[in-house]
Amino acid sequence: MYIKTLSVTKLNSYIKKVMDNDFILRNICVKGEISNLKIHSSGHIYFSLKDGASKINCIMFESDACNLTFTPENGNNVIVKGRVSTYPKEGLYQLYCNEMEIEGIGQLHIAFEKLKKKLENQGLFDEDNKKRLPKYPRKIGVITSASGAAVRDVINVAKRRNPFVDLLIYPSLVQGEKASEDLIKGIKYLQKIKEIDVIILARGGGSIEELWAFNDEALAYEIYKCNKPVVTGVGHETDFTIADFVGDRRAPTPSAAAEIVVPNINEINQKLDNLKTSLSMSMKGMINDYYSKFEFLHKKLELNNPNNYIVNLYNTLDNYNIRLKNIMYSKLNTEQGKLQNLKSLLFAHNPLNILDKGYAILENDENTIIKNIEELKKNECINIKMKDGESKFKIEFLEDI
C-alpha cells in the first residue's frame, strides 16, 4: 500500500478539515471547571476547562463574549457550547465557545439576568424610588407560608424585639406555579388596610427553582407600585431574587427582615430615657440661664430703680426748698429793713408829728390846706386838725395885725 508523505502544514490542515466536518465536534456541549482564565483587552476570553482527569484549552471571541450575562471567574463550573477545531500553525486543538452558562442554573439564570436587566433599565431598582421604612410601625403585614419556618422566625423575632407591635399574617404559596399570583394577591390585600405600616415578603432558603416565584415580572411591578414599604426576606444571605432588587429594603433572611422592621422596645425605652435626661438637663440649663438673666436684670433694675431716682429728687427738692426759704427770708429781711427805713423816714417827715408841738392844720371845705392869711380870709368855715382830732369851725375876720 502506498502511503503519501505529507508536510506538517498539510497534516494539520487535514486534521482541521476532518474535525470541522465532524458533526459532533461542530456542535459540542462540554461542562467543566474554568481555570487559567484571561480576559484580553480586545474582549476575547482565553481559559481552560478541566475535570478530575483532563483539560481542554478554550477561547471565546469578543463577538460571543459580549452576550454573557455574568463575568467568568476561575473555579466556575460552567457549560459551554461551540465547536472543537485545531489551530494549524501550532498543531493544537481547542474548544471555540459560542455560549456559556453557570452549571446548575442554565436557562433560569439566563431568564433571571434578562429580566433583571429589563427592570433595571425601567428604573424599578432606583434608590430614589424606594420608600422609607417607618421608624415605629404599629402594625406589620407578613406575606409568607403559614406552615413554613419563615413565619415562625418572623413571629419569634417580632415578639422578642417588641411585643406591642401587631403582626397580620397573610398565608400564601411561596413555591410553585401559582405562588407568584398568591404573593401578588397578598400585596394587594395588605396595602388596602390603612393600619398596615409596612409589608414583609418572606420565605426560607431553597434552590433557584424553589425561589423562582419571587423572580416573577408581575410580582416585581406589584411590589414597585405598592403604596406601602415592602421589605423582602427571601432565602439565605447569598440568595438574590428580583423581588429583593425591587423591594424598598432587602434582608438576607426572614429573621433579619423582622429585625429590620420591628423596632427594639428596649432600645426605644433607652432612647426615651436618654431623651428624658437630655430634656431635663436642657430645661435645667435653660432655667439656670433665665435665672441668671433675671438676677442680672433685677440688679440692673435696682440700680436704675425709679424709687431711687425719686428719693434723690426729694433730696434735691428739699435742698431747693431750703435754698428758696433762705432766699425768701433773706429777701424779706432786706425788704423789711428797707421798709423800716422808709417808715422811719416817713415818720420823720410826717406833717402830723408837728401837731404834738401845739401846731394845727387848717383846711378849706375841699380839704385843701390853707397856707396863708389871704386864703384864710376867703373861707368862712374851715377844718382844723390838732393832735387829738379835728373839727369844723366858723371863723370871722376882725383885722390884720
Side-chain angles (χ1 to χ4, degrees):
M1 180 179 179
Y2 174 74
I3 300 175
K4 184 179 180 180
T5 302
L6 301 175
S7 67
V8 175
T9 300
K10 287 185 178 181
L11 175 60
N12 286 344
S13 297
Y14 178 77
I15 295 173
K16 174 176 172 57
K17 184 178 179 180
V18 173
M19 296 179 72
D20 289 346
N21 289 321
D22 185 278
F23 178 79
I24 294 178
L25 296 180
R26 283 191 295 112
N27 300 277
I28 198 71
C29 184
V30 182
K31 67 178 180 178
E33 179 184 335
I34 293 177
S35 64
N36 302 318
L37 178 70
K38 180 180 179 181
I39 301 177
H40 199 271
S41 59
S42 64
H44 304 327
I45 301 176
Y46 302 91
F47 60 99
S48 297
L49 275 184
K50 65 178 183 178
D51 55 19
S54 303
K55 77 171 183 175
I56 183 171
N57 294 329
C58 306
I59 180 173
M60 177 176 272
F61 295 117
E62 187 275 336
S63 57
D64 294 316
C66 66
N67 296 321
L68 290 176
T69 58
F70 68 100
T71 301
E73 297 180 358
N74 286 321
N76 285 156
N77 291 315
V78 296
I79 299 175
V80 297
K81 294 180 180 181
R83 60 186 176 86
V84 178
S85 184
T86 184
Y87 182 48
K89 187 176 180 180
E90 298 291 339
L92 300 173
Y93 76 91
Q94 56 189 356
L95 177 57
Y96 294 85
C97 305
N98 305 121
E99 299 178 13
M100 182 190 300
E101 64 184 41
I102 301 293
E103 183 183 6
I105 298 179
Q107 294 301 320
L108 289 180
H109 180 76
I110 294 173
F112 174 86
E113 291 295 336
K114 184 178 179 180
L115 179 59
K116 178 184 175 185
K117 187 174 183 180
K118 175 184 176 181
L119 298 180
E120 185 175 14
N121 291 336
Q122 291 179 356
L124 269 68
F125 303 164
D126 291 351
E127 289 295 328
D128 294 339
N129 296 328
K130 295 187 182 297
K131 294 175 281 294
R132 296 179 60 183
L133 303 185
K135 287 186 176 181
Y136 307 106
R138 300 296 300 273
K139 197 165 191 175
I140 299 170
V142 182
I143 304 174
T144 189
S145 171
S147 58
V151 67
R152 294 193 297 272
D153 292 342
V154 171
I155 293 174
N156 291 336
V157 172
K159 286 183 177 180
R160 171 175 55 82
R161 289 180 64 82
N162 194 335
F164 302 103
V165 172
D166 295 330
L167 297 181
L168 178 59
I169 309 298
Y170 183 92
S172 170
L173 296 173
V174 292
Q175 183 177 333
E177 294 182 2
K178 300 293 184 180
S180 59
E181 296 180 9
D182 220 9
L183 294 171
I184 291 173
K185 289 180 182 178
I187 293 175
K188 289 182 176 180
Y189 176 79
L190 292 179
Q191 71 175 336
K192 293 180 182 179
I193 301 177
K194 183 179 179 182
E195 293 77 13
I196 295 293
D197 298 309
V198 61
I199 297 173
I200 295 178
L201 204 60
R203 188 205 188 284
S207 65
I208 186 171
E209 290 85 3
E210 293 172 331
L211 300 178
W212 193 250
F214 295 89
N215 293 321
D216 183 74
E217 184 174 0
L219 175 62
Y221 289 123
E222 194 63 38
I223 293 173
Y224 179 75
K225 67 181 183 180
C226 181
N227 58 19
K228 298 181 186 297
V230 177
V231 177
T232 59
V234 179
H236 299 301
E237 188 170 359
T238 56
D239 297 323
F240 281 87
T241 65
I242 295 298
D244 292 322
F245 292 108
V246 182
D248 300 296
R249 184 77 175 270
R250 183 225 174 217
T253 63
S255 298
E259 292 276 353
I260 291 173
V261 174
V262 181
N264 190 314
I265 189 65
N266 294 326
E267 293 178 359
I268 294 175
N269 290 333
Q270 183 61 48
K271 188 175 182 180
L272 288 175
D273 290 339
N274 293 339
L275 289 174
K276 181 180 178 181
T277 302
S278 178
L279 179 61
S280 177
M281 293 178 63
S282 178
M283 291 180 63
K284 288 180 180 178
M286 289 178 61
I287 292 173
N288 290 335
D289 289 342
Y290 281 119
Y291 184 78
S292 298
K293 290 180 180 179
F294 172 78
E295 286 294 318
F296 172 76
L297 293 175
H298 182 68
K299 291 180 179 179
K300 190 174 182 180
L301 182 61
E302 286 183 345
L303 294 175
N304 297 277
N305 193 333
N307 291 331
N308 296 334
Y309 180 73
I310 293 173
V311 169
N312 292 331
L313 288 181
Y314 276 133
N315 293 332
T316 304
L317 185 62
D318 290 340
N319 293 332
Y320 282 136
N321 188 27
I322 293 172
R323 288 180 59 189
L324 180 60
K325 286 182 178 180
N326 292 334
I327 292 172
M328 289 177 61
Y329 288 144
S330 176
K331 186 68 174 176
L332 285 173
N333 291 333
T334 302
E335 295 301 323
Q336 284 180 349
K338 290 180 180 180
L339 182 62
Q340 189 62 39
N341 292 334
L342 291 174
K343 180 180 179 182
S344 300
L345 184 62
L346 183 61
F347 182 79
H349 293 84
N350 190 351
L352 297 179
N353 291 339
I354 197 172
L355 297 179
D356 293 334
K357 298 179 179 181
Y359 295 99
I361 297 174
L362 305 179
E363 296 176 347
N364 59 21
D365 292 336
E366 296 176 356
N367 294 325
T368 302
I369 296 175
I370 299 172
K371 299 179 180 179
N372 51 57
I373 295 297
E374 293 299 326
E375 291 180 1
L376 182 60
K377 291 179 178 180
K378 295 177 181 179
N379 293 281
E380 293 182 354
C381 290
I382 61 174
N383 184 34
I384 300 175
K385 291 182 178 180
M386 300 187 75
K387 71 174 182 178
D388 56 350
E390 60 179 302
S391 297
K392 285 184 176 294
F393 293 91
K394 185 175 181 179
I395 67 170
E396 180 179 355
F397 175 71
L398 294 179
E399 62 178 295
D400 296 322
I401 299 176

